[in-house]
Amino acid sequence: MDRIAASALKRLVRDNLALQLQESSDSSRVEAAIRSIVSETIRSWGMVVSIEDENLMCQCIVDDFLRYGPLQVLLDDPSITEIMVNGGGIDFEGASLSFRDPKVFVERAGRIEECAYVRFDDAEHVRRIINKIAEQAGVRCDESHAMGCAMLPGGRARATFIIPPLAPDGPALNLRLFSEHIMSMDDLIEKGALSTVMAKFLGAAVRARCPIVISGGTGSGKTTLLGALSGFIPAHERVITIEDTPELRLRAHHVERMQTREANAEGQGAVGMRELVALSLRRRPDRIIVGECRGAEAYEMLQAMQTDHPGSMTTIHANDPSNALSRLRTMVNYAHSDLGRDVVQQQIAESLQGGLVVHVDRMADGSRRVTSITAIDPMPEGSAVIPRAELFRFDVGGTDAFGRVSGSWRPCGVQPQTIKQKMIREGVQYDPTWFFST
């Protein structure tokens, strides 16, 4: 069956199905109706179609109605970590302007590749899938709300979408897929994300209630590392998580989750990250975990770390540990622009002293690694610079013939005295050899 005939058949089935079922939620009834309409249409058109092609067409239409259309086969593939549907651009050749067919890309093992065997009928087909995802999540998707973020049911993936007029090449969709398995620190060691010594030190730092900021770029593994670190939180401690979309998959025992909310159609009812951080302080948390600090909520997060919620954690987009601290300073200024640079620096230093900035990077071969662990020391009176000392570093050795990045971790020979005191005070084992051998 050629593509034009297949598209016409799918449109006809959609129209007939809408009339017959009137939005029925009974999946078995929908599937039976689709197969009946397809068979009847093929016979009435006098088409010669094999049983295999007819079954394939039925399955494609079933996926459109009940699942996520052409993307369903990708969502069912455990080797895929991200799906990217790009607008195909504007087609100027016809009598009127229209969009070219979208293109589909996937990420496997950290590498992006085009997925030519998965195709959408047209830009409107992508729009229907985006509308389905938005409706399931209860978020708006129209010209006045032309971009958004939503979770698929069950938390299996996070979707971000953008449509015209904000997307001049046509509707586009990204899906970040989450594994059903919550990664542990042992899993990360096995994958080569960090060394055993570094994992032991980080686990001890979490148990000793050291504040931790995980920095890195998009897709570098910040959230995965945060989830693995949560496995070291003692079972008796109460943890509150705050996110825009519920991505965190924690291994902690006692967890309460909070999620921000966008404004409704009347522009009311919005609840931001900053309000939830303030509310969480009154809900008896031992630790607060902010999925990602990227605005004024950084001020409340630092306040929580500084007061009676030590051991709180967050992630932040940054190029390196120094950039992470400067970005924190910028975000605090979002909340209090009247504060001077020295006051903000002092605030950050007091909140993070005895804590860590753990930086993760996505390598050229797609692998994710912890490339730096930096300790934050108390800020001397009169100083304008936040004292910090790098404890571990990943040295890149090069790339082999298969494109794999080689390298090794090495301790920097510096002991974090403030963290050492915290570990001793909390009864957590401290081993000075961590910082002199790998």
Side-chain angles (χ1 to χ4, degrees):
M1 183 182 299
D2 63 43
R3 191 179 177 196
I4 296 176
S7 297
L9 177 58
K10 289 173 74 173
R11 283 195 297 270
L12 181 64
V13 171
R14 279 197 299 266
D15 294 341
N16 289 345
L17 198 62
L19 293 173
Q20 288 187 24
L21 300 179
Q22 296 182 350
E23 305 296 329
S24 171
S25 60
D26 186 342
S27 59
S28 60
R29 185 183 172 202
V30 172
E31 186 164 354
I34 287 172
R35 295 190 179 279
S36 174
I37 296 171
V38 170
S39 296
E40 292 175 3
T41 304
I42 288 175
R43 286 196 299 271
S44 67
W45 286 3
M47 301 175 66
V48 179
V49 179
S50 67
I51 296 297
E52 292 77 10
D53 283 347
E54 182 176 332
N55 288 336
L56 180 60
M57 174 58 64
C58 289
Q59 188 59 54
C60 289
I61 300 174
V62 167
D63 285 342
D64 271 353
F65 272 87
L66 301 179
R67 303 180 185 94
Y68 299 99
L71 301 181
Q72 189 61 46
V73 65
L74 303 179
L75 288 167
D76 294 336
D77 187 341
S79 69
I80 294 175
T81 53
E82 188 149 357
I83 303 169
M84 292 148 274
V85 183
N86 296 352
I90 299 176
D91 188 353
F92 295 97
E93 296 179 0
S96 60
L97 294 181
S98 61
F99 293 115
R100 296 192 180 98
D101 293 345
K103 296 181 179 180
V104 180
F105 298 83
V106 297
E107 181 190 66
R108 284 189 177 94
R111 290 184 176 273
I112 296 176
E113 59 190 57
E114 186 170 1
C115 194
Y117 65 89
V118 174
R119 302 181 68 174
F120 285 85
D121 296 337
D122 48 32
E124 184 58 32
H125 194 183
V126 179
R127 179 65 184 271
R128 288 197 299 272
I129 300 300
I130 290 174
N131 288 343
K132 176 180 290 188
I133 292 171
E135 289 170 5
Q136 289 176 339
V139 300
R140 293 184 62 185
C141 177
D142 51 44
E143 288 190 0
S144 60
H145 291 76
M147 65 179 186
C149 188
M151 292 295 290
L152 267 60
R156 61 186 301 191
R158 182 198 68 193
T160 55
F161 57 82
I162 184 167
I163 63 173
L166 299 186
D169 288 334
L173 172 67
N174 270 51
L175 289 165
R176 175 76 61 85
L177 278 60
F178 304 119
S179 170
E180 293 182 1
H181 173 65
I182 304 176
M183 299 281 278
S184 67
M185 196 60 75
D186 289 337
D187 294 328
L188 295 182
I189 294 172
E190 184 177 349
K191 287 180 174 291
L194 75 171
S195 69
T196 302
V197 170
M198 294 162 66
K200 289 180 179 178
F201 168 66
L202 288 175
V206 173
R207 289 192 294 270
R209 300 175 66 83
C210 298
I212 296 177
V213 174
I214 301 175
S215 62
T218 300
S220 58
K222 301 185 296 298
T223 303
T224 300
L225 177 59
L226 181 52
L229 289 177
S230 70
F232 296 106
I233 298 175
H236 66 272
E237 293 189 11
R238 172 172 164 80
V239 179
I240 292 182
T241 69
I242 304 170
E243 303 174 86
D244 286 326
T245 53
E247 297 179 44
L248 285 174
R249 302 163 67 89
L250 302 186
R251 304 177 68 87
H253 179 68
H254 185 175
V255 179
E256 177 184 338
R257 301 165 74 189
M258 294 183 177
Q259 181 181 349
T260 61
R261 184 178 67 186
E262 295 183 356
N264 59 20
E266 290 74 34
Q268 299 176 343
V271 179
M273 188 81 73
R274 193 175 181 186
E275 290 86 351
L276 290 181
V277 173
L279 176 64
S280 70
L281 298 176
R282 303 182 180 93
R283 297 187 60 78
R284 183 32 184 101
D286 291 299
R287 303 182 193 231
I288 298 172
I289 297 179
V290 175
E292 181 184 339
C293 270
R294 55 171 172 262
E297 68 275 359
Y299 178 77
E300 278 74 17
M301 184 69 202
L302 292 172
Q303 289 289 322
M305 290 178 171
Q306 187 178 359
T307 54
D308 57 346
H309 305 91
S312 295
M313 295 184 277
T314 189
T315 70
I316 183 173
H317 278 270
N319 298 323
D320 53 51
S322 297
N323 182 233
L325 295 177
S326 65
R327 291 210 64 225
L328 275 175
R329 184 173 65 246
T330 300
M331 288 187 285
V332 170
N333 282 329
Y334 290 159
H336 293 281
S337 58
D338 56 327
L339 296 178
R341 175 187 172 90
D342 292 345
V343 174
V344 174
Q345 289 279 78
Q346 186 70 35
Q347 176 79 58
I348 296 172
E350 290 178 358
S351 301
L352 295 182
Q353 65 180 1
L356 298 168
V357 177
V358 182
H359 190 74
V360 292
D361 270 319
R362 181 170 58 179
M363 304 283 105
D365 60 358
S367 61
R368 279 82 166 174
R369 290 191 174 100
V370 176
T371 55
S372 176
I373 299 179
T374 301
I376 306 299
D377 295 322
M379 192 171 182
E381 186 176 352
S383 175
V385 178
I386 298 175
R388 52 189 180 273
E390 191 170 36
L391 307 179
F392 298 92
R393 176 185 301 169
F394 180 76
D395 292 328
V396 177
T399 305
D400 64 17
F402 300 98
R404 293 176 301 210
V405 175
S406 63
S408 60
W409 291 277
R410 65 176 179 87
C412 299
V414 178
Q415 293 193 58
Q417 295 302 321
T418 306
I419 293 176
K420 175 182 178 180
Q421 295 169 10
K422 280 191 174 186
M423 290 184 179
I424 294 174
R425 185 169 61 248
E426 296 290 334
V428 176
Q429 181 181 2
Y430 176 86
D431 187 350
T433 63
W434 287 335
F435 311 99
F436 300 98
S437 65
T438 56

